[in-house]
Amino acid sequence: MEEKEAVAEPKEKKTHDKNEVVIEIIHLKKSFGSKDVLKDINLTVHSGENVVVLGRSGQGKSVTIQCIVGMLIPDGGTLKVFGEEVADLNDKELKELRMKIGFLFQSGALYDSMTVRENMEFPLTRVLKLEDQGEIDKRVEEVLEAVGLAEAIDKMPSDLSGGMRKRAGLARTLIIKPEIMLYDEPTTGLDPITSREISQLILDMQKRYKTTSIIITHDMECARITADRVVIMDDGEYIAQGSFDELHKSKNKLVQSFFKDIS
Amino acid sequence: MAEEITIPGWKKWLEDIGEQVSFFIRFIKNIFVGGFEWSEFVRQCYEIGYRSMMLVGITSFIMGVVLILQLRPTLVEFGAASMLPKTLSVSFVREIGPVIIAIICAGKIASSIGAELGSMKVTEQLDAMDVSGANPLQYLVVTRILATTIMVPFLSVIGDVIGLFGGFLALNLRDHISLSLYATKVLASLDYTDFLPAFIKTIFFGLAIGFVGCYKGFHSSKGTESVGLAANSAVVTASLWIFVIDAIAVQITSLLFYK
Ligand SMILES: Nc1ncnc2c1ncn2[C@@H]1O[C@H](COP(=O)(O)OP(=O)(O)OP(=O)(O)O)[C@@H](O)[C@H]1O
Ligand SMILES: [Mg+2]
């Protein structure tokens, strides 16, 4: 587990009562054709922790979290979630794992033939197989309330703004109360104010539902608000990690380049 | 690794065939996993069946009229004008009706399924459904393929009736024939060996249309232009399949019935 530059040892112990390892990635490799996207990824995420991954575009950040949910199969290394190797799971086990993981797509990925309400109901009826309509309604209203979309419940996704769509996407992933949340660029394409609201929402959700999260972002403000720990990725490897402030003070040029716009 | 730039065409083609077979197997498996999506299935039947009815009706009507107008001079020349109802009904019910209607459906239904699922793919909705632990195959594919498999035969039966009625109106442009006489002649000239094989092959046409639409949509690549490509290649491939199935069906029926 060598790091090119260990800026500081992560000090997650202080904030988390349970120190259980939820996601463990060791020497993860993935290539597409002759292109090595992930070369040697090492990352351990503990229960209840918010880990922010920073990295330039096209470095394989999305590929990493797609491996975590089994959308992509790694070429080498280990990737364990709740102690189980994801690549070795059969369909049923993978489905069970996916029920514990919420994945927020960059676009929100709302089902655009359904209303917001139907979007929220979909995972409840299809994944959790709930049948009691009262219970379903209650959970839908509760989660929409939490993301501030209560009044948009009967709208179609095409009638929502970008920020609302992202909130709705967030609500739909949160509704099954996942233990792990994976956010792929949750604030990209939003104005600074809405971005900050979404970041705050991510933080609130972590507090409220006690989720463990990996947040991929280019947005330093989002990283500052949400991160317990920041990891920087470059050229298929994670090159530095530490708290936001620790990395902010780093002397490493590449790390610096991420923080240069921040006073 | 270096050869990835020039994968030979036949290899890609074989891969695609393999992929289609596995998609079909997964479709069959997912029919039988618990929790059939009835409401989505009914919605699809409505979308596919009801919304195509107008188009199928108009086309069949015109085909019936045109066929009579085309056949008439030749048959009159042979003094066989009274054979017109029989000629029309046999050719329409056996061959022209099913194939034309299936081609129309390929154009309307396969393309819309391909475009719909393709755009769901592009906007990551399919991935989102999959990753959430829901089953997109069961919800989207099984319902659509079963709906086309049921609705295309239904549409062809309706098309047959409307086409034959168009023929009746066309006949009345020159000759006079009452509807009841026409109907009697038509029914007398048709038996189950005309109707049944044609009906069975439309079931396969429906299956092919739904399957190709879903397959192309699910396997479109991730750019916006790929939605159009998915729709387009769904129509082309489905039409091709219809002719292939038709050719096979003709062989089988002629072996079984028309010795
Ligand atoms: N399914 C795939 N097939 C082939 N190549 C892929 C696939 N997914 C990703 N890639 C390639 O892997 C590389 C990394 O992609 P990835 O989406 O992980 O980047 P990223 O770090 O998330 O960038 P961004 O910040 O722009 O989202 C890219 O060069 C991309 O072309
Ligand atoms: Mg990405």
Side-chain angles (χ1 to χ4, degrees):
Chain A
M1 291 252 247
E2 73 276 295
E3 282 144 25
K4 277 186 187 158
E5 194 211 12
V7 177
E9 279 303 306
K11 293 178 192 156
E12 61 268 66
K13 288 180 191 83
K14 61 182 188 216
T15 42
H16 306 105
D17 33 38
K18 284 186 291 173
N19 208 20
E20 181 200 348
V21 172
V22 177
I23 301 174
E24 188 180 21
I25 302 178
I26 304 168
H27 300 316
L28 187 73
K29 288 184 193 52
K30 175 75 192 173
S31 25
F32 294 104
S34 56
K35 187 163 187 262
D36 299 328
V37 177
L38 304 182
K39 291 177 185 158
D40 185 13
I41 299 290
N42 296 285
L43 178 70
T44 309
V45 183
H46 296 85
S47 177
E49 192 181 19
N50 270 355
V51 173
V52 166
V53 179
L54 295 175
R56 284 178 294 146
S57 220
Q59 292 296 319
K61 303 183 297 297
S62 302
V63 171
T64 312
I65 58 171
Q66 285 172 5
C67 288
I68 294 176
V69 287
M71 275 167 74
L72 293 173
I73 307 295
D75 298 332
T78 11
L79 195 169
K80 289 186 179 167
V81 181
F82 298 116
E84 291 190 77
E85 183 71 48
V86 175
D88 295 344
L89 299 177
N90 62 29
D91 284 356
K92 189 163 161 284
E93 292 164 334
L94 186 61
K95 188 174 168 168
E96 278 162 15
L97 174 66
R98 284 173 170 181
M99 286 166 68
K100 297 185 203 157
I101 303 182
F103 193 118
L104 181 64
F105 285 83
Q106 189 171 332
S107 57
L110 294 177
Y111 308 135
D112 46 30
S113 59
M114 306 179 199
T115 65
V116 172
R117 182 199 295 277
E118 287 162 344
N119 263 281
M120 301 300 133
E121 284 176 352
F122 194 84
L124 293 179
T125 51
R126 286 358 187 261
V127 181
L128 298 186
K129 314 255 183 224
L130 295 188
E131 280 168 4
D132 175 12
Q133 191 61 40
E135 158 96 13
I136 293 173
D137 289 343
K138 193 172 135 258
R139 281 176 80 160
V140 170
E141 279 154 27
E142 181 191 288
V143 79
L144 286 178
E145 196 73 54
V147 300
L149 273 185
E151 76 289 357
I153 187 162
D154 290 316
K155 290 202 168 133
M156 296 303 285
S158 52
D159 300 334
L160 302 179
S161 71
M164 289 162 91
R165 226 172 287 161
K166 212 151 261 189
R167 282 163 199 260
L170 182 57
R172 194 184 62 195
T173 38
L174 287 171
I175 200 164
I176 58 169
K177 308 214 164 102
E179 293 169 45
I180 301 176
M181 275 299 298
L182 306 172
Y183 297 93
D184 198 348
E185 309 194 8
T187 60
T188 302
L190 301 177
D191 66 274
I193 297 168
T194 317
S195 296
R196 199 166 305 149
E197 280 171 15
I198 298 272
S199 309
Q200 199 60 51
L201 200 56
I202 292 174
L203 197 62
D204 294 346
M205 293 302 131
Q206 178 209 15
K207 299 262 146 58
R208 187 194 282 221
Y209 297 112
K210 308 260 176 314
T211 46
T212 308
S213 314
I214 296 182
I215 301 148
I216 293 176
T217 188
H218 300 287
D219 174 3
M220 296 310 287
E221 181 70 5
C222 170
R224 191 181 62 72
I225 295 173
T226 56
D228 292 320
R229 180 153 59 103
V230 176
V231 181
I232 294 187
M233 180 168 183
D234 192 53
D235 198 22
E237 299 178 29
Y238 286 168
I239 57 160
Q241 59 173 318
S243 74
F244 188 85
D245 292 331
E246 285 162 350
L247 289 186
H248 197 174
K249 293 185 201 110
S250 164
K251 298 283 177 292
N252 181 304
K253 265 211 249 66
L254 193 88
V255 177
Q256 271 300 304
S257 64
F258 281 99
F259 289 83
K260 68 176 189 301
D261 296 334
I262 301 184
S263 48
Chain B
M1 284 263 161
E3 77 267 33
E4 55 131 4
I5 311 134
T6 51
I7 300 170
W10 62 270
K11 220 171 167 180
K12 268 195 178 154
W13 189 73
L14 276 185
E15 261 178 34
D16 191 49
I17 302 266
E19 189 58 42
Q20 292 194 28
V21 171
S22 105
F23 191 72
F24 190 75
I25 293 172
R26 284 193 292 154
F27 153 66
I28 298 287
K29 273 190 189 158
N30 274 285
I31 300 176
F32 302 106
V33 297
F36 186 76
E37 296 280 353
W38 281 107
S39 65
E40 175 68 7
F41 171 70
V42 171
R43 194 174 76 86
Q44 287 304 323
C45 286
Y46 173 80
E47 291 283 328
I48 289 166
Y50 183 74
R51 287 183 192 274
S52 310
M53 223 173 268
M54 195 68 179
L55 187 64
V56 165
I58 294 173
T59 342
S60 310
F61 181 80
I62 295 175
M63 284 308 298
V65 171
V66 168
L67 275 171
I68 285 293
L69 297 182
Q70 297 271 31
L71 285 168
R72 207 188 126 77
T74 324
L75 287 183
V76 168
E77 200 175 313
F78 290 103
S82 62
M83 293 286 283
L84 270 171
K86 183 183 168 78
T87 319
L88 176 72
S89 50
V90 170
S91 58
F92 206 93
V93 169
R94 273 193 196 174
E95 185 61 31
I96 296 170
V99 172
I100 296 285
I101 290 160
I103 295 288
I104 298 277
C105 290
K108 177 144 172 30
I109 300 167
S111 66
S112 82
I113 293 178
E116 185 190 11
L117 298 188
S119 80
M120 288 185 78
K121 168 99 179 201
V122 173
T123 54
E124 298 177 315
Q125 295 174 52
L126 294 184
D127 288 333
M129 213 177 263
D130 201 21
V131 158
S132 73
N135 185 345
L137 244 69
Q138 187 185 18
Y139 183 72
L140 299 169
V141 173
V142 168
T143 51
R144 280 167 179 71
I145 300 183
L146 290 185
T148 54
T149 311
I150 291 173
M151 293 322 281
V152 170
F154 174 69
L155 288 170
S156 357
V157 171
I158 293 182
D160 282 350
V161 173
I162 296 177
L164 292 175
F165 181 69
F168 163 73
L169 292 184
L171 264 183
N172 271 295
L173 290 178
R174 293 289 182 83
D175 316 299
H176 181 74
I177 177 170
S178 75
L179 185 57
S180 64
L181 178 60
Y182 179 76
T184 323
K185 281 195 165 191
V186 164
L187 289 178
S189 59
L190 292 173
D191 68 6
Y192 80 99
T193 59
D194 298 307
F195 179 72
L196 196 64
F199 185 75
I200 292 172
K201 84 183 168 194
T202 58
I203 295 175
F204 286 95
F205 292 163
L207 182 66
I209 289 169
F211 176 77
V212 170
C214 289
Y215 177 81
K216 294 293 176 185
F218 254 65
H219 292 79
S220 70
S221 48
K222 282 200 167 164
T224 355
E225 77 287 350
S226 58
V227 176
L229 283 177
N232 187 289
S233 83
V235 177
V236 174
T237 316
S239 313
L240 207 64
W241 268 107
I242 288 165
F243 287 111
V244 172
I245 293 170
D246 192 45
I248 297 171
V250 166
Q251 293 301 322
I252 296 175
T253 29
S254 59
L255 277 179
L256 289 178
F257 299 115
Y258 323 133
K259 293 229 175 75

